[in-house]
Amino acid sequence: MNKGIDKKVLKRGLLPYLFIILAMLGIFYFARIGNKKVDELSYDQFIVELDKGNIAKLEITTHGSAYIYEVNGKLKDSKENEYFVATLPLSEEVVKKIVEASDNQDFKFMVNPDPESSGLLLIVVNVLPIVLLVGVAFWFLNKQLAGSKNSLDFGKSRARLSSDNNKVTFKDVAGLKEEKEEVKELIDFLKNPKKFQNLGARIPKGVLLFGPPGTGKTLLAKAVAGEADVPFYFISGSDFVELFVGVGASRVRDMFQQAKRNAPCLIFIDEIDAVGRQRGTGLGGGHDEREQTLNQLLTEMDGFGANEGIIIIAATNRPDVLDPALLRPGRFDRQVTVNLPDVREREEILAVHAKNKTLADGITLENLAKRTPGFSGADLENLLNEAALLAVRRNKNKITMSEIDEATDRVLMGPAKTSRKYSENDRKLVAYHEAGHAVIGLKLKNASDVQKVTIIPRGTAGGYNMMVPTEEKLCSTKTDLLEQITGLLGGRTAEEIIFGEITTGAHNDFEKATKIARAMVTEYGMSDLGPLQFEQAAGSVFLGRDYNKSQHFSNEVANEIDMEMRKIINNCHKEAAEIIKKNKDLLKLIADTLLEYETLTKEQIDYLVEHNKMPEEDESNLESLSVTKLRELAEKKGIKNANKLTKAELLKELDV
């Protein structure tokens, strides 16, 4: 813990005690004041008491500016807590009477100087409270407006200048071959703008990178700045939007002023949809602060001179909600789609992230790339990192396929819930459900490869079947979609055939199957209704779009859509039932093996289908052993009640 934090903790610890002490002093002071009884005497009453000789103690304070004496004293016949005060005219006669009475009656009196004659006391009484009030007000303003050391610069740009220590080049960006080619001319322009100006070419002022999250949009923008070796300012779209209207526009102006002073340079705005959404849309209308900020951004981009050398790169994964004025020529007139990587690009990305990791023999990046379709660059980095963490946790000096499989499951479904107790009946239901998916995947002609089947619960699923397409396709055919639906219905169909009963375990399968079937009918024109599009996908109202999907059909057509969807689902269900009935023995074999091993990989499934049995078990890899074999090993080591433990509990007892 640093010294700054220690001071803060110390202050927080002392403040309560300080307040308690002040409160106690106040209570004590007011208690004393409360016990006193003070009588106010007029001038005549005071003179009468003075002549009687009834004065025991006297204290006189001069107030020259008011021409009075303020007298505080005590009478001889008063009680201990009784005092009096009196106000006397400022004259020599009064002083003479008091002095004579003191000499004759033998009582002491004390004269205090005029408090207003002291300059220091005057400052303390009159100026100090004002200073304290102003200081407290300034402190609260500082805390509310900025929350930082620079409390009055909230109109300044929040854009940060990237340091040379974080310099990124194209060598650090794996894949994205076409995307790199698109932005290379920006680098040429930043390095040698005269080459373009001589031919009258106008370089794009803004480049919009859009695509799914984690595909490398921010990394690509950093690489452009690194390759061009120019200043790189980066800021998030949310840094512009503030509580006070006009602050965002002020920050935009200040950001471009800084950029012009350091031109040629590059500005990167991440998540630009936070400030660049369509104006006047959304629930309740527009947003004044965001729209003013957007207007200022549009104005600044139009205000660039031809030779200023400032290029803006923005990134978003929601280009559909951006204002059309942002995308017109002269602003973000070049749009680059950063898609999910294909198998070749995934292999390159894995090579970058595997440089500092030790992989076991037999693990190739090519195979890993084939096993991870649909993974973004961020997902692949997370996959290898999770695998490395698991290897360390298991006290291994290399990352094996076991850790990679487990890491893949964690990325897709979350950590395994090995401590959850299931009855044998539930385990059997889940085993046949997942085996049903596997059989459909194995027997359909154009089906995806079954990579893994498990009955270990993860997330909300009791088990899952991981299937990977044999080859990555740009478009899906009608046959592909129908086989996907058939595969999704395999689990429920197996339950019906084997148990004559159905469970709630297929609810997510039905959700996916229904979505595919509806898209086939209403969007893809893959039904008897013909090549018509009845619905168009639309975003949420809170993202500046309509409440629901755009529908262009009557109630009669809506009924026909429902009938077509039902026909597709029913036909796929019948096909799944036929396949499972023909391959009942294979279904039972896979289900029984799942109950014994809990998880089957592609290699084990292929061997099982070919030889009707599992390959010989390797006792050096306990995780691949069956429950029966693990129980035998546990009994040999003297572990009690080994026959009642689950596979996860057995592995824990065997220190795996």
Side-chain angles (χ1 to χ4, degrees):
M1 186 178 290
N2 58 41
K3 295 181 179 179
I5 296 177
D6 288 338
K7 289 180 180 178
K8 291 180 180 179
V9 173
L10 185 62
K11 288 179 181 178
R12 285 199 297 267
L14 290 177
L15 279 175
Y17 296 104
L18 182 61
F19 279 118
I20 291 172
I21 293 171
L22 291 175
M24 292 178 64
L25 290 174
I27 292 170
F28 178 72
Y29 174 77
F30 285 110
R32 290 189 62 188
I33 296 297
N35 292 331
K36 288 185 179 181
K37 184 178 180 182
V38 181
D39 295 326
E40 187 172 353
L41 302 181
S42 66
Y43 173 72
D44 293 337
Q45 290 174 328
F46 174 76
I47 295 299
V48 170
E49 296 293 341
L50 189 65
D51 292 340
K52 287 181 179 180
N54 198 23
I55 303 296
K57 186 190 298 182
L58 206 61
E59 184 176 334
I60 304 172
T61 303
T62 305
H63 292 280
S65 61
Y67 301 102
I68 59 172
Y69 290 120
E70 185 180 292
V71 178
N72 295 279
K74 186 175 177 65
L75 300 176
K76 290 181 179 179
D77 56 355
S78 62
K79 296 180 181 179
E80 184 178 354
N81 64 335
E82 290 182 349
Y83 297 86
F84 73 87
V85 296
T87 302
L88 311 179
L90 186 64
S91 65
E92 293 182 4
E93 182 181 354
V94 172
V95 176
K96 187 177 179 181
K97 283 186 177 183
I98 294 174
V99 172
E100 290 177 353
S102 174
D103 293 338
N104 297 331
Q105 301 171 18
D106 194 21
F107 71 85
K108 294 183 179 181
F109 71 92
M110 183 172 58
V111 179
N112 296 326
D114 186 356
E116 297 181 1
S117 64
S118 172
L120 179 61
L121 186 60
L122 182 66
I123 292 174
V124 170
V125 173
N126 295 316
V127 179
L128 187 60
I130 298 174
V131 173
L132 288 175
L133 286 174
V134 172
V136 171
F138 183 80
W139 182 78
F140 274 109
L141 185 67
N142 180 28
K143 296 289 286 184
Q144 292 295 324
L145 291 182
S148 65
K149 294 180 180 179
N150 301 322
S151 59
L152 297 178
D153 67 346
F154 51 88
K156 299 292 185 182
S157 170
R158 292 290 190 266
R160 298 173 294 279
L161 184 63
S162 179
S163 64
D164 292 337
N165 297 332
N166 299 325
K167 191 173 181 179
V168 178
T169 62
F170 281 162
K171 293 181 181 179
D172 304 308
V173 183
L176 303 180
K177 183 177 180 180
E178 291 78 10
E179 290 81 357
K180 291 177 186 176
E181 292 295 330
E182 281 290 317
V183 297
K184 270 185 179 178
E185 65 183 29
L186 302 180
I187 299 169
D188 293 338
F189 173 76
L190 291 170
K191 286 184 173 179
N192 187 13
K194 290 183 179 180
K195 182 172 65 174
F196 292 85
Q197 295 160 10
N198 292 337
L199 292 177
R202 180 184 64 81
I203 203 72
K205 294 177 183 176
V207 177
L208 180 66
L209 306 176
F210 63 89
T215 50
K217 298 183 291 294
T218 303
L219 189 65
L220 183 60
K222 289 182 178 179
V224 173
E227 290 286 340
D229 197 21
V230 296
F232 175 66
Y233 291 93
F234 59 97
I235 189 171
S236 172
S238 59
D239 287 335
F240 292 113
V241 183
E242 274 289 350
L243 173 66
F244 306 105
V245 176
V247 173
S250 175
R251 290 179 177 175
V252 171
R253 287 191 296 270
D254 187 66
M255 180 181 70
F256 280 100
Q257 287 174 2
Q258 292 182 31
K260 289 174 184 177
R261 288 194 294 266
N262 293 278
C265 68
L266 190 147
I267 299 174
F268 175 62
I269 305 176
D270 199 9
E271 304 297 345
I272 194 173
D273 54 281
V275 71
R277 291 180 184 174
Q278 279 194 10
R279 290 165 287 185
T281 57
L283 192 65
H287 185 291
D288 285 342
E289 163 62 0
R290 191 182 70 234
E291 291 183 3
Q292 285 196 21
T293 307
L294 175 58
N295 291 338
Q296 187 63 46
L297 179 61
L298 298 175
T299 302
E300 291 291 341
M301 291 186 72
D302 271 345
F304 283 162
N307 303 322
E308 287 189 347
I310 301 175
I311 294 177
I312 306 177
I313 297 181
T316 181
N317 50 27
R318 290 301 308 271
D320 56 309
V321 302
L322 295 180
D323 195 281
L326 266 178
L327 307 179
R328 75 156 177 81
R331 289 173 181 150
F332 289 105
D333 47 4
R334 176 167 296 183
Q335 300 173 27
V336 179
T337 304
V338 185
N339 284 318
L340 291 170
D342 58 20
V343 62
R344 177 185 53 80
E345 292 174 328
R346 289 198 299 273
E347 185 177 351
E348 294 178 8
I349 294 171
L350 287 167
V352 171
H353 296 302
K355 285 180 180 178
N356 60 342
K357 296 177 176 62
T358 306
L359 301 178
D361 297 336
I363 297 179
T364 63
L365 299 181
E366 182 182 357
N367 290 335
L368 287 183
K370 291 179 180 178
R371 293 166 60 94
T372 51
F375 277 48
S376 67
D379 290 332
L380 295 172
E381 189 276 334
N382 188 33
L383 170 65
L384 290 181
N385 185 61
E386 285 286 345
L389 292 174
L390 286 169
V392 173
R393 197 180 303 169
R394 295 172 179 178
N395 296 320
K396 295 183 178 180
N397 54 9
K398 290 184 179 181
I399 300 173
T400 66
M401 203 64 210
S402 175
E403 284 77 46
I404 291 176
D405 281 337
E406 175 66 18
T408 305
D409 295 340
R410 282 171 171 264
V411 172
L412 292 175
M413 305 289 293
K417 297 182 179 180
T418 55
S419 61
R420 182 175 292 180
K421 295 291 184 182
Y422 283 95
S423 66
E424 283 301 314
N425 186 51
D426 286 341
R427 291 183 75 247
K428 192 174 181 181
L429 278 168
V430 174
Y432 273 94
H433 181 101
E434 299 304 331
H437 288 304
V439 169
I440 299 294
L442 289 168
K443 293 302 177 180
L444 282 178
K445 293 181 180 179
N446 300 318
S448 302
D449 288 338
V450 180
Q451 291 289 330
K452 187 175 185 180
V453 185
T454 179
I455 59 172
I456 298 175
R458 292 178 184 272
T460 57
Y464 81 98
N465 191 311
M466 181 180 175
M467 301 176 70
V468 176
T470 53
E471 60 180 6
E472 296 182 36
K473 300 178 181 179
L474 185 63
C475 298
S476 297
T477 65
K478 182 178 180 180
T479 303
D480 294 336
L481 296 176
L482 290 174
E483 290 188 352
Q484 284 184 38
I485 297 174
T486 305
L488 289 168
L489 298 176
R492 164 59 68 85
T493 307
E495 294 174 7
E496 293 173 340
I497 293 174
I498 299 301
F499 301 101
E501 186 61 273
I502 55 178
T503 69
T504 60
H507 71 282
N508 186 248
D509 298 332
F510 295 156
E511 180 184 351
K512 294 177 181 177
T514 304
K515 187 179 294 184
I516 296 172
R518 187 168 190 87
M520 289 176 66
V521 177
T522 62
E523 296 180 38
Y524 306 147
M526 295 180 177
S527 70
D528 292 341
L529 295 181
L532 297 173
Q533 188 176 62
F534 298 102
E535 290 181 347
Q536 294 178 352
S540 168
V541 62
F542 300 105
L543 297 175
R545 293 299 183 191
D546 299 329
Y547 282 95
N548 298 308
K549 287 186 175 182
S550 300
Q551 298 181 348
H552 307 289
F553 50 83
S554 62
N555 292 334
E556 290 78 8
V557 175
N559 183 51
E560 293 182 21
I561 290 173
D562 293 339
M563 293 176 64
E564 288 294 322
M565 289 173 56
R566 192 176 294 113
K567 184 195 298 184
I568 291 173
I569 297 293
N570 288 339
N571 290 339
C572 291
H573 187 210
K574 289 178 183 178
E575 185 178 2
E578 291 176 4
I579 294 172
I580 288 179
K581 286 177 182 178
K582 289 180 181 178
N583 298 277
K584 229 179 192 181
D585 294 339
L586 178 60
L587 177 73
K588 186 176 185 304
L589 176 64
I590 294 176
D592 291 343
T593 309
L594 274 174
L595 289 171
E596 186 68 17
Y597 287 82
E598 292 190 346
T599 300
L600 298 176
T601 63
K602 174 176 169 45
E603 294 75 17
Q604 291 173 326
I605 293 171
D606 292 341
Y607 191 92
L608 183 66
V609 172
E610 185 177 353
H611 299 90
N612 289 329
K613 65 177 183 179
M614 289 289 286
E616 294 184 7
E617 297 180 340
D618 180 11
E619 293 189 8
S620 62
N621 184 9
L622 296 180
E623 294 175 358
S624 66
L625 299 181
S626 65
V627 177
T628 303
K629 190 66 177 179
L630 288 173
R631 285 172 177 168
E632 291 177 1
L633 294 175
E635 288 175 355
K636 289 180 181 179
K637 289 193 173 184
I639 298 174
K640 296 181 180 179
N641 299 321
N643 60 334
K644 295 182 180 180
L645 299 179
T646 64
K647 185 173 182 178
E649 292 170 337
L650 289 167
L651 290 172
K652 187 176 181 181
E653 292 292 335
L654 294 169
D655 295 330
V656 177

